[in-house]
Amino acid sequence: MSVVKFLPINGLRSFCCQRNRFHTAAVVWSSKSVQNYQFKELDGVIDPYSSSIVRNDRYNSKAEQEVKETLVRVRHGGSKSAHERHTMKNNKLFARDRLKKLLDPGTEEDFLEIAPFAGLGMEYGDVPAAGIVSIIGRIHNKWCLVGNNDATVKGGTSFPITVEKQIRTQDIALQNCLPVIYGVDSGGAFLPLQASIFPDRKHGGRVFYNEAILSSLGIPQIAIVCGSCTAGGAYVPTMAEETVIIDKTGTIFLGGPPLVFAATGEKISSENLGGATLHCKVSGCTDYFARTEDEAWQFGRDIVSTLDVVPPEDPVEWEEPLYDQEELRMLAPTPYDQSYYSIKKILARLVDGSKMHEFKSLYGPTLITGFAHIKGHIVGILANDGTITADAALKGAHFISICQQRHIPLVFLQNVTSEEEVSSPEEAGELLKARAKLLMATASSTVPKITLIVGNSFGPNNYIMCGRSMDPNFLFSWPLAQIGLMTPTQAAKAMKQLSNDPASEEVLVSVFKEKSCALYSSANLWDDGIILPQETRRVLAQCLSITSQKKYWYKNDTTNNTHKFGIFRM
Ligand code: COA
């Protein structure tokens, strides 16, 4: 474990202020932590000609292709005419180009896109990236969360899924104490669907509630008004701590010129009604007058430079896994297949030096628990290797309480195809009680939690292994992940029995299959994105770096000091 977390927070803060993340002091600390352990090597050897490896590879290559093509499509945003309107008529930069101006230049290690697949195949149509590009990236080396409306998608208006994504990203900011930058360019609510985004607890107003709560907790928020902010949207910049507005491009008003005309008969230009001059000189709703886009995004960077946020000191030395990460494609389980390789083969390609300090290896062996490092960050791993038996659940709860005590982040790898079979009511009771303990430990631990659905995630296994409802800091799926209450075959059989559904069992199975796949799940924001198996190590390390920023600066962080578990059912 790193020495860093035991230093007094104030001393550490001033210490870290003097360094960038590549400073040699960090090398000493991290290499110490790397060299001081002698964990056992996992056996990652596979037979590339075995039938399950060949089949996995074939399925995964196809799924990977689909994911890549879909990503290109969502990153393109709206239609060709919307692109032309955006640049030629409105003279604006695209949401993703704006991000480039705000974030530090860097490699893919420095960016993590959140939920790019959200909004696909909604009942109201496709909303690419849910109409808002959300990236966690570095500004002056500090991890920040940036959400830029994509005005090429129906004028950047808010669909129900847009609001959900905004709230999800604010949750990420809250949980990980990340400064937020809102790039606002939105026509407000997508009016035909206003009833689905307006009055409820987790509808549009929640975004403003969250802004207030984040600010009250000391999490800074900055808005760059780079387009329209109409009606409810006007509160995003107004509630931000500091707001930049672009002359002749940004506007903020409760009702636009057409509404004013309808109400009063007065014709007024958007600029006079709510442009940069008005808001910087008269209303005081904005604080910085930017003459150009470039100047606005530079203002954003300058504001971030003033924040009392210290970038994490990431390890800079570690051992690479002994096995090729590209081979993960051959290990990602094929849907519903039970003849997969041990999860340890996957772990051997994810953790530093393919080394793990396994905890209780002989007890409850269907859940692998142990300590390992990912790019120098220590983690506690819980990975399914079969059904979650009572012993496995008890072992998991025990392991989580150890990680909590030692302040070690948890990584969950989900893959359970079938349910544990029980032969007596007593056995069922034991299983329930044991799993309740694992749930209790998972839900009430406060260390960072990252969940990865590598294969099947059905029924209660999804919750027990830190699914979305357990509030992990991040949750990602592999392209062939399957998520559902039951397997499609079980669900179709149950439907036939319970409701006498006229559709054939085959048809029902295919309907359930469609709604169990990773893309469906990701489109509905039940994860933070689909990642390719070979990208997993990079993404996990990014998440660990992001979550570690919190401990350096969040003054109200009571994590671990006053932590209590709930009552465990014995
Ligand atoms: N609800 C539904 N659709 C909307 C919308 C809204 N609030 N605002 C814009 N759109 C749609 C337009 O119909 C158009 O759709 P299309 O691509 O299918 O033609 C697309 O978004 C772009 O709008 P358009 O007006 O052509 O682009 P623009 O760049 O000239 O103007 C806005 C963009 C946002 C400034 C302008 O559309 C506008 O003022 N919208 C209304 C804002 C408003 O009053 N909102 C109140 C909601 S609470």
Side-chain angles (χ1 to χ4, degrees), residues 365-392:
T366 54
L367 183 70
I368 308 295
T369 52
F371 303 97
H373 294 80
I374 297 177
K375 295 203 177 183
H377 298 271
I378 188 161
V379 289
I381 292 176
L382 292 95
N384 296 130
D385 214 13
T387 59
I388 305 176
T389 61
D391 287 353

Side-chain angles (χ1 to χ4, degrees), residues 285-302:
C285 286
T286 56
D287 313 300
Y288 301 92
F289 181 95
R291 286 162 301 168
T292 60
E293 289 244 11
D294 279 0
E295 196 173 46
W297 300 104
Q298 185 56 46
F299 269 133
R301 289 184 57 80
D302 290 346

Side-chain angles (χ1 to χ4, degrees), residues 85 89-90 154-155 157 186-192 228 230-232 256 259:
R85 185 174 54 221
K89 178 180 152 230
N90 296 339
K154 288 282 176 193
T157 51
S186 164
F190 182 73
L191 283 170
S228 215
T230 309
L259 290 193

Side-chain angles (χ1 to χ4, degrees), residues 336-506:
Y336 322 114
D337 178 31
Q338 302 200 35
S339 63
Y340 46 79
Y341 267 76
S342 165
I343 197 89
K344 286 186 186 173
K345 306 282 182 194
I346 291 178
L347 291 172
R349 285 157 178 83
L350 295 180
V351 301
D352 293 1
S354 304
K355 288 178 188 160
M356 186 166 170
H357 179 60
E358 198 177 342
F359 173 73
K360 275 183 184 278
S361 61
L362 301 179
Y363 185 83
T366 54
L367 183 70
I368 308 295
T369 52
F371 303 97
H373 294 80
I374 297 177
K375 295 203 177 183
H377 298 271
I378 188 161
V379 289
I381 292 176
L382 292 95
N384 296 130
D385 214 13
T387 59
I388 305 176
T389 61
D391 287 353
L394 289 178
K395 166 167 119 174
H398 184 173
F399 183 67
I400 290 174
S401 63
I402 292 175
C403 291
Q404 175 70 33
Q405 192 89 332
R406 297 179 194 171
H407 312 169
I408 295 175
L410 296 167
V411 174
F412 293 81
L413 266 68
Q414 291 198 4
N415 181 33
V416 185
T417 305
S418 59
E419 258 300 354
E420 178 71 358
E421 290 192 3
V422 285
S423 52
S424 68
E426 290 77 16
E427 209 184 315
E430 285 309 312
L431 183 64
L432 269 174
K433 284 198 293 179
R435 285 178 172 186
K437 290 188 189 79
L438 181 50
L439 269 172
M440 178 66 78
T442 305
S444 38
S445 62
T446 57
V447 291
K449 284 165 266 184
I450 304 160
T451 303
L452 187 64
I453 307 181
V454 300
N456 300 292
S457 176
F458 289 108
N461 300 305
N462 176 284
Y463 319 133
I464 296 169
M465 286 297 290
C466 201
R468 198 58 144 178
S469 47
M470 296 293 118
D471 257 351
N473 296 52
F474 295 100
L475 188 152
F476 298 98
S477 314
W478 278 2
L480 284 179
Q482 304 290 318
I483 302 101
L485 187 66
M486 343 179 173
T487 66
T489 316
Q490 288 166 336
K493 278 197 168 54
M495 279 277 282
K496 285 301 270 180
Q497 269 174 14
L498 293 171
S499 67
N500 211 8
D501 197 294
S504 74
E505 207 169 297
E506 259 182 346

Side-chain angles (χ1 to χ4, degrees), residues 18-63:
Q18 299 157 17
R19 292 173 160 70
N20 67 27
R21 72 197 148 103
F22 299 114
H23 194 277
T24 44
V27 179
V28 177
W29 290 346
S30 57
S31 53
K32 252 189 196 168
S33 68
V34 168
Q35 284 164 11
N36 274 349
Y37 68 87
Q38 294 284 330
F39 297 175
K40 280 208 182 111
E41 270 172 27
L42 294 159
D43 172 13
V45 176
I46 52 171
D47 169 8
Y49 303 107
S50 81
S51 59
S52 79
I53 290 286
V54 171
R55 189 192 48 224
N56 284 352
D57 193 21
R58 196 176 63 239
Y59 273 92
N60 272 291
S61 301
K62 199 164 159 252

